[in-house]
Amino acid sequence: MVVASPSPTHPEKVQFIELPIIDLSAERSKVINLVIKACEEYGFFEVINHGVSHDIITRMEEQGLGFFAKPLGDKQKAGPATPFGYGCKNIGFNGTNSLSIVERSYAISNDPKMFSSAVNGYVEAVTGLACEILELMAEGLRVQDSSVFSKMIKDVDNDSIFRLNHYPPILCNNNNNNKDPSFLANKVGFGEHTDPQILTILKSNDVGGLQVKSQVDDGDHGVWVPVPPHPTAFCVNVGDILQAMTNGRFMSVRHRAMVTNTSKSRMSMAYFGAPPLDTCLTPPIELVTPRKPLLYRPFTWDEYKKASHSLRLGDSRLHLFKAT
């Protein structure tokens, strides 16, 4: 469960820009062009007609919301999140290892078989979706091996994560006497950050809150773009590793979750695709040229993960791996 943080201390601009919504059932070359353009211009996009069934999504939502509806004491029996379990403020459950899911399910659900089945079914489906998107990206970048990105998360030793984040609604404080919606719009649920992994596949219930920092310059603070919830779409975003492996062509963009609703909680279901810890990460040779020299030195996911954990949530990380 994630609890709202204090409001930002400096003035912030919110700009309403529609992120690309890409129909994956459209003609392949058109889809590829749209995906490449979205990764270069926004670092975020949404996909529809993605092949993940409504039943798989609904089962996972029901199991997740059922867990978060329990009393705090019951939820704490599933913790701590080290790394598989329940945590308040830090992170919800995570981990795509099927054995850990089964083991934790006994503390998470009254029907552990149903819970583990829902999680494993959902993770399998979104992993397939992530692989499909990564292969479209490789093809669009004209990389000879179209599996260069996807094979890392297909690897049996992949370090991918599945996480449920729950944002309880904020009730107005009588002392503040606040009926102004802008008071609630400025509560940070999960602070500004980039995702360190390769690719994130996100689905939330019908409650807004996700904001993406626009690449349009606005002094030092940037412009925040709200992403309204879409009833059927998955939100996809580039992670730090993919920025490094595309030699900076794709952008890993800062984003955050805001608490914007006083009557209904928000739950997000996030799959973070990551390679095995010992994977050496460097761009395919097609993406390094005399005109576009290597931006980041080769590094392993283990190195990058440790660097990420040593920094604060909002700190930049990729600059530590710049090629000299």
Side-chain angles (χ1 to χ4, degrees), residues 80-92:
T82 56
F84 308 118
Y86 167 79
C88 185
K89 284 192 179 179
N90 291 326
I91 300 300

Side-chain angles (χ1 to χ4, degrees), residues 1-2 68 80-81 83 85-95 161-166 190 272 313:
M1 181 173 70
V2 181
F68 287 117
Y86 167 79
C88 185
K89 284 192 179 179
N90 291 326
I91 300 300
F93 352 83
N94 51 343
I161 295 172
F162 176 55
R163 179 177 297 156
L164 299 178
N165 282 346
H166 182 251
F190 199 106
F272 302 91
L313 178 67

Side-chain angles (χ1 to χ4, degrees), residues 12 127 224 319-320:
E12 294 183 313
T127 300
W224 287 104
H319 74 279
L320 300 174

Side-chain angles (χ1 to χ4, degrees), residues 59-320:
R59 285 177 63 207
M60 190 64 256
E61 285 183 342
E62 288 174 349
Q63 291 295 313
L65 290 170
F67 171 78
F68 287 117
K70 290 183 175 185
L72 179 60
D74 289 349
K75 287 184 288 193
Q76 288 175 331
K77 293 175 183 176
T82 56
F84 308 118
Y86 167 79
C88 185
K89 284 192 179 179
N90 291 326
I91 300 300
F93 352 83
N94 51 343
T96 61
N97 180 287
S98 59
L99 177 61
S100 64
I101 291 169
V102 171
E103 290 174 345
R104 281 293 178 186
S105 295
Y106 288 93
I108 290 170
S109 174
N110 296 329
D111 190 338
K113 288 185 178 180
M114 183 176 290
F115 181 85
S116 62
S117 174
V119 173
N120 285 321
Y122 184 87
V123 168
E124 181 180 356
V126 294
T127 300
L129 174 60
C131 289
E132 178 185 353
I133 293 169
L134 289 169
E135 288 168 9
L136 290 168
M137 291 174 177
E139 191 172 332
L141 292 168
R142 299 185 179 180
V143 174
Q144 186 173 359
D145 179 6
S146 62
S147 69
V148 64
F149 305 131
S150 63
K151 66 186 177 185
M152 293 188 290
I153 61 175
K154 287 180 180 177
D155 192 298
V156 67
D157 294 320
N158 75 81
D159 194 44
S160 301
I161 295 172
F162 176 55
R163 179 177 297 156
L164 299 178
N165 282 346
H166 182 251
Y167 304 87
I170 292 181
L171 300 177
C172 291
N173 188 322
N174 290 334
N175 295 331
N176 290 320
N177 231 350
N178 250 308
K179 296 183 179 178
D180 182 356
S182 65
F183 167 74
L184 294 170
N186 289 328
K187 291 296 180 181
V188 179
F190 199 106
E192 176 181 343
H193 65 286
T194 62
D195 294 338
Q197 295 89 354
I198 302 170
L199 192 76
T200 302
I201 307 285
L202 178 73
K203 188 82 178 72
S204 64
N205 58 338
D206 194 24
V207 178
L210 176 64
Q211 292 186 350
V212 176
K213 185 165 270 189
S214 170
Q215 296 302 294
V216 178
D217 289 335
D218 179 46
D220 294 330
H221 303 312
V223 176
W224 287 104
V225 179
V227 182
H230 189 289
T232 63
F234 280 98
C235 191
V236 181
N237 68 274
V238 173
D240 294 350
I241 286 180
L242 194 56
Q243 177 172 324
M245 291 198 69
T246 59
N247 207 26
R249 185 163 170 183
F250 291 174
M251 296 300 297
S252 178
V253 177
R254 290 177 173 269
H255 52 284
R256 65 185 182 182
M258 305 296 285
V259 179
T260 59
N261 193 295
T262 60
S263 60
K264 186 178 179 183
S265 62
R266 178 175 183 263
M267 187 183 75
S268 66
M269 306 185 296
Y271 166 83
F272 302 91
L277 291 172
D278 61 356
T279 303
C280 183
L281 302 166
T282 193
I285 57 173
E286 295 92 340
L287 301 181
V288 182
T289 66
R291 296 183 63 183
K292 185 70 172 177
L294 189 68
L295 288 178
Y296 307 100
R297 65 170 177 84
F299 56 88
T300 67
W301 169 234
D302 188 44
E303 285 181 84
Y304 197 78
K305 189 175 180 181
K306 286 175 179 175
S308 299
H309 290 173
S310 70
L311 302 172
R312 295 174 301 177
L313 178 67
D315 288 345
S316 298
R317 298 171 286 252
L318 270 176
H319 74 279
L320 300 174

